[in-house]
């Protein structure tokens, strides 16, 4: 009830301007008004708590430090009440009528510069309170200061340029903000809508928040607690809540930093990679907070693309909570956060790989794809990422990994390059003709099973100044092996090579005696430097141009193999049959390379050959 005539005030010119912006264009998400008012309530409670430490005589001393939100869908109102510090008449005028003196700012100054980082205050919100006018026909602030001698007051405005203050009796300590909603914003007066917003933005506010009598925030902001204080189950529960997940995280990184930025981060790697399961591309989902209040649930540039599988929270007090925070115009700061967090996460993976190798490999099997993507595309972090890559190889057991660094330690002094082969799986690479020459010379070959691997290896190019080289590439030169007994003589081999070149015509670019075949009669090498067999298959699958250019390969023959020796004999004695055998050998090589596209001609030829048996 009013005990004095209302006193009328004009808003400061800047506020009028601000209100105009807020009401008409600033925020796209109107719902954040509730986040702002809850933040203010939390601030006010924090200030009161601080006050109580030094000032025992506080008005309404028995009240709990809590926030109560109530909605009334009939009256179309939403009310946010706190039992915080409240405001005097002067404070109302200063805090809600001018922009120059934000209460939080003054409070922080009073606490002293050094205290800022430790205080739990929500910082300098540029439009905080005024965001209420995005949804409000009118706003009433009922308030009583913590100082007992002050009067209860009600501040009221429709945001159009002026406000009134008058005295009001029977008020509790703190502030009660009653918003009469615009007709098109009446939704915010419904319980479910308010619940949704509070859960999204204010889930981690330290003080209890109730909505229409029911508690809404039950999970703590774990990331601000010390690692040793948090139990394993709490982490898991937090992960499930924050990431809306049903699995349990397989890796977790919880860290804080003061320099160059204040950061509290709690990051999780889920159990499963849903992109691998063929589900849609993951969206960035490490949320950005400033002192427990959500700034952006899916910030695009907070982490590099290839870290899109991470879940969790990054909280930084250094984010300027000014007018632009909704759109995060402060790119430089986000970039800085990005650098610090990415570096820290990479270091974490390095430690995991070293200290908990099995767990790291389990992680790698599921999420290695993302590290490869980063190694191929993220120049800034490439070096660190390449170290984290893992492969099976001709020297590992099936299912066991090696790193590039370990590969290098096993290289002989002669070996200058790191070799790899791409194939669908271990069995097919081992059965193919490409590996045997390397095996015979004790050269280790990395096995790559994923479609992207070739692209990744091409982009990574080298490790430890050693070139990454495809073992099925025509340019690879291998050392001589001791001549084997029973092999076709050099001159005869040369004769056969010439004959084969003639017999196979345009289907081959080159025929030569091989230095890399041991058990197989022939192999096909890629004549086209720029399109490996693998790439050709991929382009074909994607119907890309270029995939139809006539296929030309280099054919290598093994002069030690019985089939080749036999062919040398028949190419003069039975030239017609030799022709069929030559073509069939080429097709066999193409099959091993995964390059034989049309098998009908081959089947007809095989039938003809079988007639001669
Ligand atoms: P900020 O929170 O960044 O200071 P706001 O526009 O949100 O900016 O609020 C302006 C000021 O109004 C606050 O600094 C505070 O002094 C005062 N204020 C707002 N809400 C409350 C409240 N619930 N209780 C006490 N003071 C409040
Ligand atoms: Mg505020």
């Amino acid at each position: 009830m009013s005990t004095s005539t209302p006193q009328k005030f004009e808003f400061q010119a800047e506020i009028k301007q601000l209100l105009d912006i807020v009401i008409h264009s600033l925020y796209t998400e109107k719902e954040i008004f509730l986040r702002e008012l809850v933040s203010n309530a939390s601030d006010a409670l924090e200030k009161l708590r601080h006050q109580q430490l030094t000032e025992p005589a506080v008005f309404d001393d028995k009240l709990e430090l809590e926030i109560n939100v109530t909605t009334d869908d009939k009256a179309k109102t939403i009310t946010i009440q706190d039992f915080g510090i409240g405001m005097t008449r002067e404070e109302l005028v200063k805090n809600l009528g001018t922009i120059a003196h934000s209460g939080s700012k003054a409070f922080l100054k009073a606490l002293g510069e050094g205290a800022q980082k430790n205080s739990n205050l929500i910082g300098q919100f540029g439009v905080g309170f005024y965001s209420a006018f995005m949804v409000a026909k009118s706003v009433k602030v009922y308030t009583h200061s913590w100082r007992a001698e002050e009067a209860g007051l009600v501040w009221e405005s429709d945001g159009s340029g002026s406000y009134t203050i008058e005295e009001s009796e029977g008020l509790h300590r703190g502030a009660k903000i009653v918003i009469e909603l615009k007709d098109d914003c009446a939704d915010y007066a419904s319980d479910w809508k308010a619940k949704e917003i509070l859960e999204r933005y204010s889930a981690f506010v330290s003080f209890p928040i109730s909505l229409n009598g029911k508690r809404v925030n039950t999970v703590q902001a774990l990331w601000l607690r010390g690692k040793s204080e948090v139990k394993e189950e709490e982490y898991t529960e937090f992960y499930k809540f924050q990431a809306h997940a049903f699995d349990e995280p397989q890796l977790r990184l919880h860290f804080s930093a003061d320099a160059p930025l204040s950061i509290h981060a709690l990051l999780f790697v889920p159990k499963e990679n849903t992109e691998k399961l063929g589900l849609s591309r993951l969206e960035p989902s490490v949320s950005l907070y400033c002192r427990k209040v959500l700034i952006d649930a899916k910030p695009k540039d907070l982490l590099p693309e290839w870290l899109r599988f991470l879940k969790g929270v990054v909280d930084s007090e250094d984010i300027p909570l000014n007018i632009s925070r909704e759109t995060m115009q402060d790119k430089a700061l986000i970039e800085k956060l990005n650098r610090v967090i990415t570096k820290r996460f990479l270091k974490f993976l390095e430690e995991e790989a070293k200290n908990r190798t099995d767990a790291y490999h389990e992680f790698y099997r599921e999420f290695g794809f993302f590290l490869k993507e980063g190694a191929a595309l993220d120049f800034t972090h490439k070096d660190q990422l390449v170290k984290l890559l893992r492969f099976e190889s001709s020297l590992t057991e099936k299912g066991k990994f090696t790193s590039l660094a370990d590969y290098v330690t096993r290289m002989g002094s002669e070996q200058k390059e790191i070799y790899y082969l791409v194939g669908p799986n271990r069995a097919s690479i081992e059965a193919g003709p490409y590996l045997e020459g390397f095996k015979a010379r004790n050269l280790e070959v990395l096995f790559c099973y994923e479609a992207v691997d070739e692209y990744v290896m091409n982009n990574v190019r080298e490790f430890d100044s050693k070139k990454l080289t495809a073992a099925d590439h025509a340019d690879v030169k291998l050392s001589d092996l001791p001549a084997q007994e029973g092999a076709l003589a050099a001159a005869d081999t040369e004769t056969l090579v010439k004959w084969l070149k003639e017999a196979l015509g345009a289907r081959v670019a080159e025929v030569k005696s091989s230095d890399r075949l041991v058990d197989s009669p022939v192999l096909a090498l890629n004549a086209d430097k720029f399109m490996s067999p693998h790439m050709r298959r991929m382009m074909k699958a994607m119907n890309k141009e270029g995939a139809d250019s006539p296929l030309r390969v280099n054919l290598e023959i093994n002069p030690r193999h019985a089939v080749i020796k036999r062919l040398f004999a028949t190419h003069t004695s039975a030239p017609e049959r030799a022709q069929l055998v030559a073509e069939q050998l080429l097709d066999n090589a193409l099959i091993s390379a995964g390059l034989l596209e049309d098998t009908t001609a081959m089947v007809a030829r095989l039938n003809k050959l079988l007639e001669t048996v």
Side-chain angles (χ1 to χ4, degrees):
M1 203 183 71
S2 171
T3 55
S4 67
T5 43
Q7 208 183 343
K8 192 171 169 191
F9 299 85
E10 287 288 306
F11 280 115
Q12 195 189 24
E14 286 94 322
I15 299 277
K16 283 188 191 170
Q17 244 175 343
L18 180 70
L19 278 169
D20 198 51
I21 298 169
V22 164
I23 292 169
H24 293 113
S25 65
L26 183 67
Y27 288 123
T28 45
E29 305 288 320
K30 286 188 192 284
E31 64 187 26
I32 62 93
F33 83 91
L34 189 50
R35 169 185 77 180
E36 296 301 317
L37 298 182
V38 168
S39 299
N40 285 350
S42 172
D43 281 358
L45 289 165
E46 194 63 46
K47 288 173 191 169
L48 184 84
R49 180 146 74 189
H50 183 80
Q51 204 59 251
Q52 279 174 321
L53 296 176
T54 51
E55 188 68 59
V58 159
F59 177 64
D60 247 354
D61 207 17
K62 297 285 171 293
L63 291 175
E64 297 288 332
L65 298 189
E66 63 183 26
I67 301 166
N68 293 305
V69 179
T70 46
T71 55
D72 184 338
D73 53 5
K74 298 240 163 50
K76 296 184 189 161
T77 60
I78 180 165
T79 301
I80 298 94
Q81 175 168 43
D82 65 74
F83 300 133
I85 198 168
M87 280 177 274
T88 64
R89 182 181 293 262
E90 289 73 49
E91 285 165 344
L92 276 174
V93 172
K94 191 177 84 172
N95 298 338
L96 304 185
T98 68
I99 206 163
H101 303 285
S102 149
S104 291
K105 204 168 159 190
F107 175 69
L108 280 174
K109 216 169 177 183
L111 273 182
E113 295 297 327
Q116 182 170 354
K117 284 221 182 321
N118 304 325
S119 81
N120 281 323
L121 289 172
I122 311 287
Q124 184 63 26
F125 290 95
V127 298
F129 173 78
Y130 304 101
S131 61
F133 289 100
M134 291 188 298
V135 298
K137 265 184 199 164
S138 79
V139 176
K140 284 192 185 124
V141 181
Y142 297 88
T143 184
H144 193 297
S145 163
W146 65 275
R147 297 169 204 268
E149 71 277 11
E150 292 290 335
L153 299 164
V154 53
W155 178 103
E156 183 174 1
S157 176
D158 62 5
S160 64
S162 64
Y163 59 92
T164 58
I165 299 177
E166 66 185 298
E167 282 184 20
S168 178
E169 273 179 358
L171 298 184
H172 279 302
R173 183 194 71 223
K176 184 171 87 176
I177 296 160
V178 182
I179 294 177
E180 190 195 340
L181 292 157
K182 292 178 187 168
D183 292 335
D184 61 344
C185 297
D187 258 10
Y188 297 115
S190 69
D191 182 82
W192 70 266
K193 184 85 182 175
K195 182 161 180 274
E196 191 187 272
I197 303 168
L198 288 169
E199 281 175 350
R200 174 152 51 218
Y201 293 104
S202 310
F204 301 112
V205 168
S206 323
F207 298 98
I209 304 173
S210 304
L211 171 64
N212 299 323
K214 271 210 204 98
R215 179 75 188 266
V216 268
N217 58 336
T218 51
V219 180
Q220 285 188 17
L222 281 196
W223 63 88
L224 293 176
R225 282 168 52 189
K227 264 198 265 193
S228 54
E229 299 163 26
V230 185
K231 291 201 214 78
E232 202 65 28
E233 309 89 78
E234 287 180 286
Y235 277 126
T236 304
E237 186 203 354
F238 176 86
Y239 163 75
K240 289 183 178 172
F241 175 82
Q242 202 272 334
H244 308 291
F246 298 100
D247 60 344
E248 303 204 342
Q250 63 165 308
L251 296 179
R252 172 184 80 229
L253 172 62
H254 182 182
F255 76 95
S256 298
D258 288 329
L261 287 171
S262 125
I263 296 176
H264 299 276
L266 180 50
L267 305 173
F268 296 97
V269 176
K271 184 138 262 144
E272 279 191 350
N273 168 9
T274 53
E275 269 190 31
K276 195 170 126 186
L277 298 174
L279 300 182
S280 61
R281 187 180 168 85
L282 290 163
E283 284 189 6
S285 46
V286 172
S287 304
L288 183 62
Y289 283 73
C290 175
R291 300 175 206 200
K292 300 185 197 173
V293 173
L294 182 68
I295 306 297
D296 190 343
K298 297 173 183 294
K300 282 245 160 349
D301 303 312
L302 181 63
L303 292 170
E305 274 276 293
W306 54 269
L307 276 178
R308 63 186 177 277
F309 61 95
L310 283 183
K311 312 281 178 204
V313 167
V314 169
D315 192 320
S316 176
E317 297 170 16
D318 291 329
I319 298 167
L321 294 175
N322 54 28
I323 213 161
S324 70
R325 75 192 173 112
E326 264 296 298
T327 45
M328 299 224 304
Q329 281 160 3
D330 200 335
K331 280 259 184 292
L333 184 86
I334 298 298
E335 271 167 27
K336 222 166 166 185
L337 279 171
N338 182 321
R339 271 202 302 280
V340 175
I341 300 162
T342 306
K343 233 172 110 188
R344 187 64 188 76
F345 187 73
L346 284 168
K347 190 171 141 230
F348 163 73
L349 287 182
E350 228 168 272
E351 288 163 359
E352 285 290 297
K354 195 161 140 238
N355 303 327
R356 306 196 322 136
T357 310
D358 288 345
Y360 179 72
H361 287 174
E362 198 173 311
F363 156 78
Y364 190 85
R365 271 180 209 104
E366 203 62 24
F367 293 95
F369 175 86
F370 295 96
L371 303 189
K372 288 180 192 168
E373 181 186 312
L377 298 173
D378 182 349
F379 197 73
T380 320
H381 302 107
K382 176 184 157 187
D383 288 349
Q384 264 177 298
L385 279 162
V386 170
K387 284 190 209 153
L388 290 167
L389 300 184
R390 295 292 181 272
F391 303 90
E392 283 191 34
S393 88
S394 52
L395 294 187
T396 67
E397 282 169 46
K398 183 177 164 63
K400 292 274 187 310
F401 284 134
T402 179
S403 66
L404 288 168
D406 285 343
Y407 179 106
V408 169
T409 63
R410 290 187 291 265
M411 280 169 70
S413 54
E414 304 281 273
Q415 192 183 342
K416 300 280 178 279
E417 303 183 330
I418 296 172
Y419 300 110
Y420 66 89
L421 274 172
V422 183
N425 52 48
R426 187 175 185 101
S428 95
I429 293 177
E430 283 183 329
Y434 299 100
L435 189 60
E436 47 198 55
F438 291 84
K439 262 195 156 157
R441 292 169 179 83
N442 276 323
L443 295 171
E444 183 172 5
V445 178
L446 300 173
F447 294 171
C448 301
Y449 307 137
E450 277 178 297
V452 291
D453 285 335
E454 181 150 40
Y455 175 74
V456 172
M457 295 308 239
N458 278 335
N459 272 30
V460 171
R461 297 180 84 94
E462 56 171 44
F463 173 77
D464 196 11
S465 339
K466 288 158 190 78
K467 215 177 138 217
L468 297 171
T469 303
D472 55 2
H473 202 279
D475 282 350
V476 177
K477 294 277 171 294
L478 294 176
S479 64
D480 287 337
L481 284 178
Q484 254 179 318
E485 260 177 65
L488 211 55
D492 294 347
T493 307
E494 208 171 306
T495 310
L496 184 63
V497 161
K498 274 206 191 102
W499 178 82
L500 272 168
K501 176 87 185 76
E502 198 107 315
L504 297 171
R507 293 187 70 196
V508 291
E510 199 189 323
V511 180
K512 66 176 211 173
S513 168
S514 180
D515 52 12
R516 61 179 101 188
L517 282 169
V518 179
D519 300 319
S520 306
V522 288
L523 64 70
L525 290 173
N526 202 6
D528 188 348
K529 251 196 185 31
F530 301 104
M531 206 194 302
S532 69
H534 225 76
M535 237 184 250
R536 192 179 174 94
R537 281 200 300 278
M538 259 165 59
M539 290 175 74
K540 194 117 201 148
M542 295 186 310
N543 264 327
K544 277 267 162 65
E545 242 176 272
D548 282 333
S549 59
L551 178 66
R552 283 172 87 234
V553 295
N554 292 349
L555 186 72
E556 296 200 358
I557 62 166
N558 179 359
R560 292 164 294 274
H561 200 279
V563 174
I564 297 299
K565 289 194 270 184
R566 182 86 187 275
L567 182 62
F568 178 71
T570 39
H571 92 280
T572 43
S573 63
E576 242 173 73
R577 183 140 57 96
Q579 175 71 32
L580 293 177
V581 170
E583 282 180 36
Q584 187 57 41
L585 279 173
L586 174 58
D587 276 0
N588 289 355
L590 292 179
I591 290 170
S592 289
L595 285 174
L596 192 72
E597 281 151 12
D598 185 1
T599 51
T600 39
M602 187 196 86
V603 172
R605 180 191 323 114
L606 256 181
N607 286 335
K608 233 180 182 172
L609 264 173
L610 290 173
E611 280 170 24
T612 69
V613 174

